[in-house]
Amino acid sequence: MFSGASMINSGLILIIDDTPTNAKMLESMLKRNNFTPATASSGREGLAMIAEAPPELIILDIMMPEMDGFEVCRRLKADPKTADIPIIFISAMNETESIVTAFDIGGVDYITKPFQLREVQKRVESHLTLIRQRREIEALREQERQQFETINSMREKFIHAATHDLKNPLQLITGYTEVLRSDETFQSNPGLNYYLDAMRGGVQKILGLVGDMLDLIQMENSIDPSPELTDLHTFVDGTIKQYELPAQQKNIELLTDLPPQEVIANIDAKRMRQVLDNLVSNAIKYTPDDGHVMVSAFVEDSMLILKVSDTGLGIPEEYIDTLFQPFARVREREHMKQEGTGLGLSIVKTIIEQHHGDIEIESTAGEGTSFIITLPDVIHDPFA
Ligand code: ATP
Ligand code: MG
């Protein structure tokens, strides 16, 4: 990109040629066509003039004493401030070798001596048009990028503010339902208590949703996970402990199948815990009474493979591709009987991507589902 607005569309064309008659001829032709030419009689002088006032286009003679055109070109291309200025080389007829080199080092075109002035004029015009169009496109792109950034940050700020500001009043309502519950009027009236519970339940649901949305935004914003050496057994056992009770309540057997040896994995344990939390809670949620949920892990090469399987409702094939998108749910009766917002799996996917891993679903409707996570290069080898 060009720096400085002053030179944009300046129309300044610098001719660098050590032969005064050539330079003069080009200069007057350009003047006649309402361009603004300037001339330099050596590579060194040309470079100095360009540093002073960068032209829109350079017409550069190849054969010059001291510093030839190729060297001038190389220096211009090496400097980001001048690298984008198009260069048209001047070569003698039949210098095929030079012409190839001219293109190789970044020239956009060449003209041959003796000059065909009409042709030179057309070439100059078309290159100026090209560079101007390119600049316009770049400016538009930059504008779009800025607009996108503004919208994106507005969206994030909005969701953040909305969810954050929702939390306090919701917690306030929860608190007051507690106060009301202990009030005599409510205690002596089971009907009123029922309403209270319903209100409380509703508020809890909104709080859950708000929490998930905040999680997702936070996750999307903090790209880099913070991996730490984590003992796999402690990690899995610790995470699923809290699901023993909910599993028991549905008479679901919650099992683990872990490698016999100690495995140390380099993972962001806090985020990966969220992954396992979501998958295990889903498995229990979408498995009818008396089923099984299994968390297994194994190591393959230096990959860690985690699998959460259940004997539950399963996922119809047409849903599998979209289920990791926010708010996606299986719109079948048995699935919809369970409460949920459809954010869990999008959080899972984001975290797995942050670990450069992969997650896949294997499922047979009516029989069960497995979520299989592959995390590359996370196994810590103590002997490495
Ligand atoms: P949330 O987790 O946000 O409370 P949710 O559980 O509905 O709500 P996700 O965890 O994102 O949302 O799951 C999306 C959908 O995928 C669920 O609504 C459910 O239909 C389906 N699903 C997820 N896990 C399973 C599973 N183990 N068995 C069957 N269906 C599942
Ligand atoms: Mg869920």
Side-chain angles (χ1 to χ4, degrees):
M1 271 259 262
F2 285 85
S3 55
S6 57
M7 29 118 1
I8 287 181
N9 291 354
S10 63
L12 181 62
I13 299 171
L14 180 63
I15 303 154
I16 308 176
D17 195 327
D18 62 312
T19 321
T21 43
N22 283 344
K24 271 270 159 284
M25 201 191 293
L26 288 174
E27 189 184 17
S28 54
M29 180 278 287
L30 291 172
K31 264 191 192 144
R32 267 198 316 277
N33 289 286
N34 298 321
F35 295 109
T36 316
T39 56
S41 57
S42 72
R44 215 162 283 286
E45 190 192 346
L47 288 173
M49 286 173 74
I50 294 164
E52 191 76 10
E56 274 201 283
L57 184 77
I58 298 166
I59 300 177
L60 180 57
D61 191 15
I62 295 175
M63 296 275 277
M64 289 187 293
E66 267 183 82
M67 192 190 292
D68 69 6
F70 292 149
E71 181 55 25
V72 176
C73 177
R74 283 194 195 97
R75 291 191 187 197
L76 290 172
K77 295 295 163 196
D79 182 349
K81 284 203 289 288
T82 52
D84 283 339
I85 306 176
I87 296 172
I88 299 177
F89 279 104
I90 301 172
S91 86
M93 271 293 211
N94 302 327
E95 280 187 322
T96 325
E97 266 311 297
S98 310
I99 291 166
V100 171
T101 310
F103 280 114
D104 278 348
I105 62 172
V108 292
D109 207 348
Y110 69 95
I111 51 180
T112 46
K113 288 181 277 195
F115 301 129
Q116 303 295 320
L117 285 178
R118 285 280 297 159
E119 185 193 319
V120 175
Q121 180 206 331
K122 289 292 164 205
R123 283 178 194 259
V124 166
E125 273 170 10
S126 70
H127 285 290
L128 277 180
T129 310
L130 264 179
I131 187 90
R132 283 172 187 171
Q133 282 171 346
R134 206 175 80 195
R135 241 175 354 226
E136 271 169 33
I137 292 169
E138 268 169 16
L140 277 175
R141 280 224 189 100
E142 177 60 19
Q143 215 180 337
E144 269 173 16
R145 201 187 55 76
Q146 280 174 5
Q147 278 169 351
F148 175 78
E149 262 181 16
T150 314
I151 292 170
N152 210 29
S153 92
M154 265 166 62
R155 168 189 151 265
E156 268 160 22
K157 276 194 197 122
F158 171 75
I159 301 178
H160 197 268
T163 47
H164 219 264
D165 295 350
L166 275 173
K167 251 186 167 167
N168 286 337
L170 288 171
Q171 268 154 358
L172 197 78
I173 298 174
T174 313
Y176 281 129
T177 54
E178 285 306 315
V179 175
L180 287 179
R181 198 198 293 280
S182 56
D183 188 277
E184 256 174 49
T185 332
F186 278 81
Q187 280 185 342
S188 57
N189 190 332
L192 285 184
N193 250 318
Y194 173 81
Y195 292 144
L196 260 192
D197 280 343
M199 277 169 63
R200 210 183 129 83
V203 170
Q204 289 303 321
K205 242 185 272 172
I206 306 176
L207 271 174
L209 172 62
V210 164
D212 278 352
M213 283 168 78
L214 281 175
D215 272 355
L216 192 60
I217 294 168
Q218 242 159 28
M219 213 67 74
E220 281 175 349
N221 284 349
S222 54
I223 319 259
D224 297 327
S226 327
E228 49 185 326
L229 296 183
T230 308
D231 178 80
L232 181 71
H233 290 74
T234 318
F235 168 70
V236 173
D237 291 338
T239 310
I240 67 165
K241 205 170 175 52
Q242 51 177 323
Y243 295 101
E244 278 164 7
L245 190 64
Q248 237 172 35
Q249 284 167 342
K250 293 179 80 178
N251 196 31
I252 288 172
E253 209 174 353
L254 184 55
L255 302 160
T256 55
D257 180 14
L258 304 177
Q261 79 279 17
E262 182 186 58
V263 174
I264 305 291
N266 197 21
I267 51 175
D268 185 326
K270 218 171 128 213
R271 292 190 193 177
M272 284 307 294
R273 197 190 158 110
Q274 240 176 319
V275 167
L276 217 50
D277 268 335
N278 272 296
L279 295 181
V280 175
S281 69
N282 278 350
I284 296 173
K285 194 154 87 167
Y286 298 105
T287 297
D289 289 5
D290 310 320
H292 302 274
V293 170
M294 163 90 92
V295 179
S296 42
F298 48 98
V299 176
E300 216 177 78
D301 302 325
S302 65
M303 287 188 303
L304 175 62
I305 298 170
L306 288 168
K307 195 165 156 182
V308 179
S309 315
D310 62 56
T311 56
L313 300 177
I315 297 168
E317 214 187 320
E318 65 265 31
Y319 286 97
I320 290 193
D321 287 343
T322 50
L323 223 47
F324 290 109
Q325 290 168 10
F327 303 108
R329 301 198 67 200
V330 174
R331 308 262 156 209
E332 305 258 320
R333 238 179 79 216
E334 285 307 309
H335 291 77
M336 294 305 278
K337 274 190 191 165
Q338 302 297 326
E339 281 179 6
T341 49
L343 282 174
L345 288 181
S346 56
I347 294 173
V348 166
K349 176 86 175 171
T350 309
I351 298 172
I352 298 300
E353 278 174 356
Q354 288 172 345
H355 280 81
H356 309 292
D358 194 35
I359 180 161
E360 273 179 49
I361 304 176
E362 277 175 9
S363 185
T364 311
E367 286 184 18
T369 307
S370 294
F371 283 87
I372 303 143
I373 297 168
T374 314
L375 298 172
D377 302 322
V378 295
I379 299 302
H380 175 67
D381 178 0
F383 305 109

